[in-house]
Amino acid sequence: QAQLVESGGGLVQPGGSLRLSCAASGSTFSGHTMAWWRQAPGQEREFVATISWYGSNTVYADSVKGRFTISRDSAKTTVYLSMNNLKPEDTAVYYCARQLMGTIRSSYYDPQRYDYWGQGTQVTVSS
């Protein structure tokens, strides 16, 4: 059965860095764009970044552009989110997700265009 498992979250001071990992199992992820989302307490789930199957195309939310980098390994079984210069407003549960085939760019920010989600990993930015 297809599964996504996130790891790497934790407590970090403002200005610090973390790298999140998302391990994917199951061949149903072949060919799919993958994404990171986040959800802060009391807020809606928010798009963070996507990466295409071959890793050649990435899209970022304006709030993280220049600070976060999404990548995937050569075996395409793990997706990473490197986060630098973290701010308190980055505090959230971070989720990785599989994007549905055929999703157009304007729909990247619609959570209904993602069908598999991990359980999430908590990131807390605080002094």
Side-chain angles (χ1 to χ4, degrees):
Q1 184 174 350
Q3 191 175 16
L4 296 171
V5 179
E6 302 96 335
S7 62
L11 173 63
V12 63
Q13 292 186 344
S17 300
L18 280 175
R19 189 175 84 154
L20 307 182
S21 299
C22 171
S25 60
S27 61
T28 54
F29 295 102
S30 178
H32 284 263
T33 291
M34 298 296 292
W36 285 96
W37 287 69
R38 66 186 182 185
Q39 188 166 22
Q43 298 187 21
E44 293 186 351
R45 198 163 290 193
E46 175 189 24
F47 169 84
V48 175
T50 61
I51 186 166
S52 60
W53 172 245
Y54 289 106
S56 55
N57 294 312
T58 56
V59 177
Y60 294 93
D62 288 343
S63 58
V64 306
K65 203 172 294 183
R67 300 187 298 121
F68 290 12
T69 302
I70 189 171
S71 60
R72 62 196 310 169
D73 67 343
S74 57
K76 298 180 177 57
T77 59
T78 304
V79 179
Y80 302 99
L81 185 69
S82 297
M83 307 183 294
N84 296 316
N85 190 22
L86 282 161
K87 304 175 182 181
E89 52 263 42
D90 295 318
T91 295
V93 177
Y94 283 71
Y95 301 90
C96 67
R98 187 186 82 163
Q99 189 184 85
L100 290 167
M101 291 287 197
T103 297
I104 59 175
R105 175 71 177 262
S106 61
S107 294
Y108 278 20
Y109 314 98
D110 180 357
Q112 295 188 3
R113 296 302 304 172
Y114 298 82
D115 57 353
Y116 281 99
W117 296 81
Q119 83 291 347
T121 185
Q122 175 71 46
V123 172
T124 302
V125 185
S126 175
S127 55

